[in-house]
Every structure is written in C-alpha cells, then in structure tokens.
C-alpha cells in the first residue's frame, strides 16, 4: 500500500503541484518571520551585550518608561560628577568614566542636511572617554570646544572628511564644530550615528547641565566579578541609583527588543495562519476530487483485499508526502524571505549586514509542524471518504461516489449564521464598554465565518446559479453549460469559493474600518484643528528653544501655542500627560468639551477624554494621583471631559493640563509641538516663505499646514492599509491557486465529456470559453460572499470602535467594486491553463477515456 501511495503521488504530481505551492507559501511566511525576528533579536542584543560596560550606573527613575515613549518628553535624568569620584574608590573598580549620552539631538552638515537617519536607527551624542568598544581610525580625539568625532559608517555614507564642519542641534541650542576624528566600532553598529565631543562641551551644550553626567561606566579589575562590583557600588552609593551589570544590560536589551518585535511577529504570524487556513481549503478540495476520480481504483484495491484502514492510510501517506515536500521548499523559501527582509530594513537606516541569519532549532520544527499537520488534517476527511468506498465501486460506471444530502448541513449553517448575525447586531447596538462590544464582535465574526463555510455548498447552488442567469443570453449554449457545470458539484464549488471568501472578507472588513477611521480623522481635524500651521519634531525629538524663538519672530505669526509631554503612571499603567498654552489653545486646537472648559484647565485641573474617563471611572471632581518619571507625585482634580480623539484607545487618550501645571511636576519637559496662528489679513505666502527660511537649518522639525497635517494622518492609515492588503494578497494568491487546481482537476474528471462535446462540433474556443466562464462564476461567487461578510464585520467593528473616536461609518464602494472586478479578472487568469488544456484535448482519446 505504501508503494501504491508513492506511485499514485508521482502519477498525480502535476495535480499536486498547486497544493504543494499553497503549503510552500504558508510555511515560507511562518519560517521567514521566525528567522527574521530571531536575527534582529540576536543582532541587537549581541551588540548591546558586547558594547555594555562591566557595570553601568544611572540615576534611578520612578519607573521604567515604555520603549515607544522614551524621549517624548525630553526629560534626561542626570547625576553629579561626585558619583564618578566615589565609584572610583570602590574596591574592584579599575576605572570609572562619567558618561553623557543623549538621543534627543540631530547632526547636520554644512548644507543643513541630517547626517543620521531621520527614521529607524537613532543619532546619539556622547562625550569622549577611553571606551574600549571604539577605536580611532583617523584623526584624534576631541580635546576642546568646537572639535567633533563621528563614526566611520556615517562619515562614509555622507562623504564626511576630517576638517568638515558639522552642527549638533539639541533642545538647548546649537553646537557647531569641526570633524577632527573618525571612529569605528569593534563589535558592529546597526546603523546608529554617533557623534562625540569633549566632556565639558557635552555637559554644557548637549545635556545643558554643567558638571553632570547621564551615567557612569565602570571597568572592573581582573578577578573581580561584575556581580561583586555591583554589590560594592550599591553599598557605596545608596538607593538613589540604578546599578546594572553587563549581563543585566544585555538581558534588558533583549527584553526591549522582544517587546518591540512581538507585535510585528504576531501580526506576520497571524497573516501566515490565514494563508495556511486558505491553503487547507485548497488541499481538502484537491484530495476530495482525487478520491472521487479514483473511486473505481480504490474500489478495486478493496476488492483485492485492502482494508478500510489501509486505504485511509494510503491517502494520508500521499498527504504526508505533499506536506513534507511543501514544508521543505517552504523552509528554504522562508530563509530567502528573511534575507530579503533583512536587506529591506537597511533602507530604514538599520544595517544588519554584519549579522548572519539566525536559524533556531524551533524554526524548522515549526515549519514542518505547520506544513505537515495542516496537510494531513486537511486530507483526513477525503481519506475517510476513500476508506468507505466499497469493493463494488470497481464495477460501477459512475466515477463519483454518491454524496450525502445537504439538508442537515444547511440547517446547522443557518442556525450558526443567525447566531453570528445576532452577535454582530448586538456588538453594534450594545457597545457601552469595549469588553462587551469586542466579545460580541469576536463571537459574531467566528460564528458567521464558520456558518458560511458550512453553508458553502447550499449557497453555491443558489448564488452561482443566480449569477449565471445572464450567461445563456450572452453566450448561448456555452454559457448555459458553464452555469450548470459550476453548480454540478456544490461541495467542490463551495470549498473553492470558501478559500477566496475568507481572504476577501478580511479585505472588506479592513477597508471599511480604514475608510471609517480616515473619515473620522478628517472630521476630527476639521472640527478641532484651528491652527494655520503645526510644527513637530521628527522621531520623538523635542523642539529646541532656538526654533521657538525664530518662529515667534516671523512677521504675520500672531500666536504660538506650545505643547509638551510628560510620562506618568496611574495605578501602575503608563500614560502621557500633555501640557498646553491655555491662553491660546482654544484657537489652536479647539478642544471639544463635553463638560468643563479651558478655564478649568487653566485653574490647574485635569482634562480627560470621555473614553478614558469611562474606562477609569472618572467624573468631574474625581481625584487622580499621578506618579511622574522623575519621582514627583501629584494629585490632580478632573475639571473637564472632552470628546475622544479619532482612533485613540485607553492608553492613547487625552490627558491634558496647562503648561504651568505640567512644569510643576516635570520641569525638564521640552516643547514637542507648536501650533501657529497667523494674524488676520497676513499674507500667507510670505508667512510660508519666512517659515521655510526659519526652519531651513533644522531638518528635525517639520512644518505642516492644516491640509498637510490631515494628509499626514490619513497617509499613515493608508500606509498600514496597503501593508495589510499586501499581506492579505498572499492568502488571495493561494485562494486563486485553489480555483486553478479545481478547474484543472475538473477538466481531467470531465475528459470524456469534453471529448464528446468536441465530437459533436464544439470548437476549441468554445471549450476554452466554457472553462473560463465557469471560473469567473466561482471567483465572483467567493468574492461576493467574502465582501458581504467583510462589510458586516466592518460595520459592526466601526460601531464598537465609536467609543474610541471612529464615529463616522464610511463604506469604500470604489474599493469594494474594484476588488469584485479584480476577482473576475483573477477568475479569468486562473482559467488560462485549464482552459488551454481542455481546448487542446485530443477528441478520440478523450472520448475513449472511461
């Protein structure tokens, strides 16, 4: 039986090719994601571990801010130089170096262009000291004001040489200098731009705190363990400082990288799971058709003494071979995909050229587990059906075994569809809390999806037959036959269309939510954005005092409204508190108050949005105790509640106070956003020209008009949308492969029928048209079901997310119609090979086929 299975697999290798491709694509996505994330993790944690000092001392903070919020407020904790002297006397310490290290800066060349990447890897400014992790390759170390050292990679990328002028822009001002040295990293550098000054300049100009450091790095003496040195330093300094060993810093870096990668990895694996699910439909359909075509062959095996278990194992063995081959090819393709992703991110300033791909043992295990298990499970039902074929089937003329009635299946699917529809309606109607709305929405999505999969055969009869009603009038007898062929086997048609339905249902839902978010943002900006221009720092960079002063001096600018941020904790959860100029904020951003007013904020009270207030059970007069990063604790009273901003969740809601209130608790916070209003009658073109001139030397600051600001926000939505569509495209490709496979096997199954049609005068072009029309019917049927399901999900999702500012329902009919038209074209493309094969089939040989 094993030999028979192997021979059958080889005999049908052409029919198995598309199923193998489906397994390959799903496995490639899984393995590629794992290899890519493991490579980034090893690269960054390895560099962090190798570049870290034996022991590092930093000022202790009240809590550890989340990665994405670091640098947002511009707060840089520092410690006095006396700490360096005290640590130097600790037994086991060979050397202690005071370190000034800042990320809130930008380095520009003589043309005012940034030297480092504006996105991706950061630009770091640091004081020069004897650091064993770097070495001078040209020039000398900075010894005084005006002397700078830059890293070799940045120098080569921007063609910077010794003697070239550079300017360091920080929130405290500008620090011009000349390049006197170029350094290389001993352990590799993933795209980070480094610039060094002498210690005094770094403290005074970069940090803005003469005589202070951001940390202390310690080199231990030979024979002294890092842990021992850590214990002694803690005893000498007390509780006011954070003391970490080299190993602890590497572990912290690994946790930060893992936290950052987890969201991306889970998203990619989610799409991989979708591709695998769609591929399972293709595999199930393929094996179901192969079993139907081999009814007489399997019946003969049963007549020769093969047991049911042997027949079932024979079919599953073929599936196992398919899974192993597809998984092997998918693993190799996934490694290639990871290589491509590694090269792709180099465009974002992250250089991993010095890091080899990391293939952990878990990756091939996951690849084969996904590919083989999914294939075998998908083939299980056809294998059971094969095992039930009786020996008498070998004597029958009919190729296909009798099928069970669809009544029970239709009843179950209808019940599930009604339950799922009720859950979606409940989510849209009863969504006072996210937990209730999301629970009903998730249940409704799952139930309706399963329902339509179960109802697939019954729906294919009704929908496909109805869609094909115009065929006889347009294409005559060929149209009538293609219509009947499409509903001849409703189970097959339902399964083929089901794969396309799953993919396009997500496309429809995402399209509705994205369009609703964009419309909501547009309305939100129109109703709340009162400024003529908004200035913001790129890459979480605060806006320097120089920029604010230059903008204020522009003729025609009447008001400049500043906005700052501070990171704080409320009941253990992190939030970002905004401070604004209350004197002009009503004109700049038009707060949408439900209760309270700007006067309450000016009086030192707190404003929160309605969603945040509901989530944290806050009302006017509620007391809120906030713990700030610098250790300050403040109790604020809720004085105003506003409408929720579009797309903001609980952690991203509006927490707002006046600048005076924010400065009481976070005095080091820097301006992060400036809203500019022009004077009545001002010449906007002259103001724009003056603004461009004022910002010419500050590439880290971007200025946008109202239209630009709206376009930026909606552009971010579009970018995510295009990425999601691209990833969903993988599942759609697999679904189209399912249509190809179904048609190809259908042509083989109908060889004699096609031969008879040719014998009675049907032309080759008519036979090809017959297959193409059938393909279009199946594809459009799957698209209609998927888009209809997606619209229902998207509408219910928008109602749930109305709590989070997505208040406008918008259905992108242009996108929906384009996807529907694209599905018809995909159906035509899928039919090319099967139609060509059917048209070229030899007439006599086809008629003689039994």
């Amino acid at each position: 039986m094993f030999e028979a299975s192997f021979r059958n697999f080889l005999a049908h290798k052409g029919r198995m090719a598309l199923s193998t491709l489906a397994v390959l694509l799903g496995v490639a996505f899984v393995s590629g994601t794992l290899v890519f994330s493991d490579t980034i993790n090893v690269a960054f944690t390895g560099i962090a571990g190798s570049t870290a000092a034996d022991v590092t001392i930093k000022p202790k903070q009240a809590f550890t801010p989340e990665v994405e919020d670091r640098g947002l407020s511009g707060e840089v904790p520092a410690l006095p130089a006396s700490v360096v002297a005290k640590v130097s006397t600790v037994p086991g310490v060979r050397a202690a170096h005071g370190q000034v290290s800042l990320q809130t800066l930008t380095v520009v060349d003589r043309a005012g262009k940034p030297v480092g990447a504006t996105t991706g890897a950061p630009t770091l400014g640091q004081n020069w000291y004897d650091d064993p992790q770097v070495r001078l390759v040209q020039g000398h170390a900075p010894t005084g004001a005006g002397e700078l050292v830059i890293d070799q990679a940045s120098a080569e990328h921007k063609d910077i040489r010794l003697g070239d002028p550079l300017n360091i822009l920080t929130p405290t001002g500008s620090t011009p200098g000349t390049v006197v040295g170029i350094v290389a990293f001993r352990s590799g550098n993933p795209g980070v731009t480094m610039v060094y000054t002498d210690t005094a300049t770094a403290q005074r100009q970069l940090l803005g705190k003469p005589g202070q450091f951001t940390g202390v790095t310690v080199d231990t003496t030979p024979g002294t363990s890092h842990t021992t040195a850590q214990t002694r330093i803690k005893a000498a300094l007390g509780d006011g400082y954070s003391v970490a060993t080299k190993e602890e810093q590497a572990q912290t870096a690994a946790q930060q990288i893992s936290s950052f990668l987890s969201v991306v990895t889970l998203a990619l694996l989610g799409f991989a799971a979708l591709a695998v699910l769609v591929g399972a439909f293709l595999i199930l359909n393929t094996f179901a058709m192969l079993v139907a075509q081999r009814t007489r062959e399997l019946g003969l095996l049963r007549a020769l003494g093969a047991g049911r278990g042997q027949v079932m194992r024979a079919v599953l063995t073929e599936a196992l071979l398919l899974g192993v081959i597809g998984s092997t090819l998918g693993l190799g393709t996934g490694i290639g995909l990871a290589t491509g992703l590694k090269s792709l991110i180099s465009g974002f300033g992250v250089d991993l050229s010095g890091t080899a791909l990391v293939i952990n043992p878990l990756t091939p295990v996951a690849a084969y587990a996904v590919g083989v298990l999914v294939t075998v499970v998908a083939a299980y039902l056809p294998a059971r059906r094969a095992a039930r074929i009786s020996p008498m089937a070998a004597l029958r003329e009919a190729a296909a075994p009798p099928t069970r009635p669809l009544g029970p299946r239709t009843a179950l699917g209808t019940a599930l569809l009604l339950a799922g529809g009720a859950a979606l309606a409940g989510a849209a109607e009863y969504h006072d809390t996210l937990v209730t709305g999301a629970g009903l929405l998730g249940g409704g999505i799952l139930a309706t999806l399963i329902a339509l999969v179960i109802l697939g055969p019954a729906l294919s009869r009704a929908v496909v037959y109805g869609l094909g009603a115009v065929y006889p009038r347009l294409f005559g007898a060929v149209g009538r036959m293609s219509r009947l062929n499409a509903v001849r086997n409703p189970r097959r048609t339902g399964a083929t269309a089901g794969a396309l339905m799953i993919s396009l249902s997500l496309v429809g839902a995402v399209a509705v939510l994205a369009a609703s978010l964009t419309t909501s943002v547009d309305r939100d900006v129109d109703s709340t954005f009162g400024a003529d221009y908004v200035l913001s720092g790129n890459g979480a960079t605060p806006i320097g005092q120089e920029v604010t002063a230059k903008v204020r001096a522009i003729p025609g600018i009447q008001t400049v409204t500043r906005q700052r941020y501070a990171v704080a904790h409320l009941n253990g959860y992190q939030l970002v508190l905004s401070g604004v100029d209350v004197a002009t904020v009503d004109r700049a951003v038009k707060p949408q108050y439900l209760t309270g007013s700007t006067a309450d904020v000016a009086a030192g009270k707190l404003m929160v949005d309605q969603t945040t207030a509901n989530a944290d059970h806050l009302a006017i007069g509620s007391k809120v105790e906030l713990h700030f990063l610098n250790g300050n604790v403040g109790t604020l009273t809720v004085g105003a509640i506003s409408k929720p901003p579009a797309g903001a969740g609980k952690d991203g809601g509006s927490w707002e106070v006046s600048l005076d209130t924010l400065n009481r608790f976070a005095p080091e916070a820097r301006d992060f956003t400036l809203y500019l209003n022009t004077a009545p009658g001002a010449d906007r073109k002259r103001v724009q020209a003056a603004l461009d001139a004022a910002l010419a030397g500050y590439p880290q600051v971007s200025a946008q008009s109202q239209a630009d600001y709206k376009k930026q926000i909606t552009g971010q939505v579009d970018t995510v949308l295009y990425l999601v569509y691209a990833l969903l495209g993988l599942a759609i490709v697999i679904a189209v492969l399912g249509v190809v496979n179904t048609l190809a096997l259908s042509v083989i199954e109908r060889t004699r029928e096609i031969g008879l049609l040719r014998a009675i005068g049907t032309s080759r072009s008519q036979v090809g048209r017959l297959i193409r029309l059938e393909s279009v019917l199946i594809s459009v049927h799957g698209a209609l079901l998927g888009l209809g399901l997606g619209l229902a999900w998207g509408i219910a999702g928008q109602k749930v997310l109305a709590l989070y500012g997505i208040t406008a329902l918008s259905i992108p009919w242009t996108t929906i119609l384009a996807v529907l038209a694209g599905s018809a074209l995909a159906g035509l493309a899928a039919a090319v090979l099967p139609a060509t094969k059917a048209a070229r089939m030899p007439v006599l040989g086809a008629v003689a086929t039994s």
Side-chain angles (χ1 to χ4, degrees):
M1 292 301 294
F2 177 79
E3 290 181 7
S5 299
F6 189 70
R7 288 175 181 173
N8 272 320
F9 183 83
L10 294 179
H12 302 125
K13 55 181 177 293
R15 309 180 195 181
M16 294 291 192
L18 294 178
S19 296
T20 303
L21 184 57
V23 177
L24 182 155
L25 290 174
V27 171
F29 221 71
V30 172
S31 56
T33 299
L34 294 177
V35 171
F36 179 61
S37 60
D38 289 340
T39 300
I40 291 183
N41 197 11
V42 168
F44 280 89
T45 55
I47 290 173
S50 61
T51 57
D54 296 337
V55 179
T56 299
I57 304 155
K58 291 185 177 297
K60 182 175 286 187
Q61 296 176 299
F63 55 88
T64 301
E66 296 175 4
V67 176
E68 60 269 24
D69 288 325
R70 290 183 176 176
L72 184 64
S73 65
E75 297 178 74
V76 182
L79 48 78
S82 58
V83 174
V84 182
K86 184 178 292 186
V87 171
S88 300
T89 63
V90 175
V93 172
R94 179 168 57 88
H97 309 283
Q99 183 186 60
V100 176
S101 182
L102 294 170
Q103 186 173 328
T104 54
L105 51 79
T106 302
V107 181
V108 297
D109 58 18
R110 70 175 76 207
K113 303 297 183 182
V115 172
T118 54
T119 59
T123 298
L124 302 179
Q126 188 172 309
N127 66 315
W128 180 266
Y129 61 88
D130 186 17
D131 186 350
Q133 305 303 330
V134 298
R135 59 187 177 87
L136 275 166
V137 293
Q138 292 184 47
H140 61 83
T143 57
E147 294 186 343
L148 305 175
V149 170
I150 192 170
D151 70 280
Q152 188 176 32
S154 299
E156 291 176 351
H157 181 64
K158 294 293 184 178
D159 194 25
I160 296 172
R161 297 180 174 87
L162 296 179
D164 284 354
L166 295 177
N167 193 13
I168 304 175
L169 306 175
T170 68
T172 58
S174 300
T175 304
T178 302
V179 177
V180 298
I182 296 176
V183 298
F185 294 90
R186 299 183 187 276
S187 57
N189 173 24
V192 175
T193 296
M194 291 290 303
V195 61
Y196 297 87
T197 69
D198 66 285
T199 297
T201 300
Q203 292 173 322
R204 183 179 61 257
Q205 298 296 113
L206 305 188
L207 183 59
K209 299 176 181 179
Q212 297 191 52
F213 297 98
T214 59
V216 179
T217 62
V218 173
D219 301 327
T220 59
T221 57
T224 302
S225 70
H226 300 162
T227 306
T228 300
Q230 178 190 44
T231 303
R232 293 172 179 172
I233 291 171
K234 283 183 176 180
L237 295 180
D239 295 332
Y241 302 93
S242 170
V243 184
T245 63
K246 187 186 191 78
E247 296 74 19
E248 289 173 341
Q249 292 178 81
Q251 184 178 4
T252 299
Q255 290 173 349
Q256 292 174 353
I257 293 296
S258 297
S259 175
F260 168 75
L261 287 177
S262 62
V263 177
V264 177
T265 302
L266 288 175
L268 292 176
L269 289 178
F271 285 105
L274 173 64
V276 169
L277 176 63
V278 173
F281 274 84
L282 190 158
I283 296 165
L284 185 150
N285 217 19
T286 299
F287 275 92
M289 295 179 70
L290 288 175
V291 167
Q293 291 173 16
R294 292 160 52 192
T295 298
R296 294 184 66 183
E297 173 191 332
L298 295 173
L300 183 59
L301 286 175
R302 293 280 285 117
L304 292 175
R308 289 188 174 185
Q310 289 178 302
V311 172
M312 184 173 182
R313 285 193 295 274
V315 176
L316 290 179
T317 299
E318 294 180 42
L320 179 63
L321 289 171
L322 173 66
V324 170
I325 293 172
S327 298
T328 303
L329 296 175
L331 178 60
T333 306
I335 294 173
L337 176 63
T339 304
L341 290 173
K342 180 182 170 186
S343 301
L344 180 64
I345 66 169
S346 64
F348 295 94
V350 181
D351 182 16
L352 297 179
S353 57
T355 304
L357 287 179
V358 177
I359 305 175
N360 287 329
L362 178 62
T363 299
V365 171
Y368 281 99
V370 169
V372 173
L373 284 178
V374 168
T375 306
V376 172
V377 169
Y380 176 73
L381 288 178
R384 283 188 59 190
R385 194 174 301 128
R388 291 174 179 174
I389 294 175
S390 69
M392 294 301 295
L395 305 177
R396 294 182 186 141
E397 286 293 328
T403 57
R404 296 189 302 275
L406 296 176
R409 179 171 181 159
T410 303
L412 175 61
T414 302
L416 265 177
L417 185 62
L418 292 174
L424 292 178
E429 186 67 26
Y430 305 105
H431 49 266
D432 294 335
T433 66
L434 181 63
V435 174
T436 303
L440 288 171
L441 179 64
I445 289 174
L446 184 61
T448 51
L449 178 60
I450 296 174
L452 286 190
V453 170
I454 294 174
L455 286 171
L459 288 174
S460 66
R461 278 181 174 172
V463 178
V464 173
Y465 197 78
L467 286 173
V470 297
Y471 272 17
R473 285 192 289 262
L474 295 176
F475 305 104
V478 171
R480 186 179 302 108
M481 292 181 65
S482 64
R483 180 190 187 193
L484 294 173
N485 281 333
V487 296
R488 174 191 290 183
N489 192 326
R491 294 178 186 273
R492 179 191 307 166
T493 301
T496 304
L500 196 58
M501 176 194 73
I502 293 174
S503 306
L504 294 184
S505 64
L506 291 176
V507 170
V510 170
V512 170
L513 290 176
S516 298
L517 176 58
T518 299
T519 302
S520 299
V521 168
D522 283 345
R523 291 182 182 179
D524 192 50
V525 171
D526 288 339
S527 62
T528 64
F529 195 96
D532 296 310
Y533 300 97
V534 59
L535 273 62
S536 57
N538 300 324
T541 302
I543 296 176
Q545 299 170 357
E546 290 181 2
V547 173
T548 304
K550 287 190 175 185
V551 168
R552 288 188 186 278
I554 294 175
I557 297 293
Q558 187 177 50
T559 61
V560 176
T561 304
R562 298 174 296 158
Q563 186 171 35
R564 297 179 175 182
Y565 298 99
V567 180
H569 264 196
L570 171 65
N571 299 326
Y573 294 96
Q574 182 165 304
L575 59 90
V576 177
L577 183 65
S578 166
V580 294
D581 271 329
V582 290
T584 55
V585 69
D586 287 349
R587 184 180 177 190
V589 295
K590 299 179 182 177
Q592 303 293 296
Y593 295 106
L594 295 175
T595 56
S597 66
T598 300
D600 295 301
V601 179
K605 295 182 180 180
L606 174 69
M607 185 195 78
V608 297
D609 67 89
Q610 185 182 29
T611 302
T612 303
N614 292 340
D616 290 307
H617 308 291
L618 301 177
I620 298 297
S622 296
K623 301 293 183 181
V624 177
E625 184 176 88
L626 298 179
H627 295 255
F628 291 85
L629 195 60
N630 56 14
N632 290 337
V633 179
T635 300
L636 299 174
T637 302
V638 176
I641 297 177
S642 68
K643 294 180 180 178
K650 175 177 180 289
D651 295 330
S654 298
W655 298 81
E656 192 169 281
V657 293
S658 68
L659 277 181
D660 290 340
T661 303
L662 185 70
N663 291 339
R664 283 184 10 230
F665 303 108
E668 292 189 349
R670 306 288 185 182
D671 294 341
F672 194 80
T673 307
L674 301 180
Y675 299 96
L676 313 183
N677 287 93
T678 57
D683 188 332
R684 293 290 293 274
K685 290 184 178 180
R686 289 187 178 182
V687 172
Q688 179 72 61
L691 184 60
D692 292 340
L695 299 178
Y698 302 92
Q700 81 278 18
V701 179
S702 62
Q704 297 170 306
S705 64
Q706 287 188 20
D708 294 334
Y709 183 67
K710 185 187 297 185
K711 188 181 297 184
Q712 178 197 17
I713 296 176
T714 55
Q716 292 171 352
V717 176
D718 290 340
T719 300
V720 175
L721 185 62
Y722 296 148
L723 176 61
V724 171
Y725 283 164
L727 294 172
L728 287 174
L730 174 65
I732 295 173
V733 167
I734 296 176
V736 172
L737 291 178
V739 178
V740 177
N741 217 18
T742 296
L743 293 173
L745 293 172
S746 176
V747 167
I748 295 171
E749 185 180 82
R750 289 148 50 187
T751 298
R752 187 176 184 185
E753 175 187 321
I754 293 171
L756 290 172
L757 287 174
R758 293 280 286 117
I760 63 175
T762 306
S763 67
R764 287 186 174 182
S765 61
Q766 287 177 313
V767 171
R769 189 181 308 131
L770 176 72
I771 303 301
R772 288 193 294 273
L773 291 175
E774 183 179 343
S775 177
V776 170
L777 271 182
I778 294 173
S779 299
V780 173
H781 166 53
L784 283 175
L785 292 182
L787 292 173
L789 197 58
L791 285 175
W793 294 352
I795 291 170
Q798 182 272 324
K799 297 299 182 183
V800 172
L801 294 175
L803 287 170
Y804 289 80
I806 306 182
T807 54
L809 174 63
S810 179
I811 298 178
W813 291 113
T814 302
T815 301
I816 299 297
L817 293 175
V819 171
L820 193 59
S823 300
L825 293 176
L828 286 174
V832 170
L833 292 178
T836 302
K837 183 173 182 179
R840 293 178 179 177
M841 196 174 287
V843 177
L844 294 179
V847 172
T849 302
S850 58

